[in-house]
Amino acid sequence: QVQLVESGGGLVQPGGSLRLSCAASGSIFSIHAMGWYRQAPGTQRELVANIISGSNTNYADSVKGRFTIYRDNVKNTVYLQMNSLKPEDTAVYYCQANIQNHWYDLRSLDYWGPGTQVTVSS
């Protein structure tokens, strides 16, 4: 199995910054992609940002120019640097990873972290 351990959430004032971290461990042969989703109360879960093998990234339009996603391949960790935070960024943020577990099994599976709360409020 694979575990995703998240950290970095918390309470921050509008305009402030947070950095989320997600470390993957367990049966990992190759990480195809890692990213962050978020879900606010009463809303559907949405993609915030992800990064695939190499350095290709995707961002939700609402966070472009404010958030930056990057990864440390040695540590199997993805980071989300969140700047200029707005109240509408308030949500539970979930780390997601698409991982091939073994060299002899070509399946890649989606794994999810437990979620970390980000609250932007004065």
Side-chain angles (χ1 to χ4, degrees):
Q1 278 285 359
V2 169
Q3 294 175 315
L4 302 180
V5 179
E6 303 158 338
S7 64
L11 175 64
V12 66
Q13 295 186 140
S17 298
L18 286 173
R19 188 182 72 167
L20 303 183
S21 300
C22 175
S25 63
S27 298
I28 300 172
F29 172 70
S30 178
I31 299 179
H32 183 262
M34 297 186 77
W36 291 92
Y37 290 71
R38 68 186 181 188
Q39 186 169 18
T43 71
Q44 294 182 325
R45 187 174 298 186
E46 65 174 351
L47 174 68
V48 179
N50 65 4
I51 183 167
I52 63 175
S53 297
S55 60
N56 291 332
T57 58
N58 299 289
Y59 295 93
D61 288 340
S62 60
V63 308
K64 286 181 179 178
R66 300 188 297 121
F67 292 8
T68 302
I69 190 167
Y70 58 100
R71 60 191 284 183
D72 183 336
N73 293 321
V74 175
K75 297 177 66 67
N76 289 330
T77 299
V78 66
Y79 304 90
L80 184 68
Q81 179 66 47
M82 304 185 293
N83 298 326
S84 302
L85 283 161
K86 305 174 180 179
E88 49 263 48
D89 295 317
T90 296
V92 177
Y93 284 69
Y94 298 91
C95 180
Q96 181 267 339
N98 185 258
I99 295 173
Q100 181 179 340
N101 299 112
H102 308 286
W103 69 268
Y104 53 83
D105 186 349
L106 295 180
R107 294 178 300 168
S108 61
L109 304 176
D110 289 333
Y111 296 90
W112 293 89
T116 184
Q117 178 70 47
V118 171
T119 301
V120 184
S121 176
S122 59

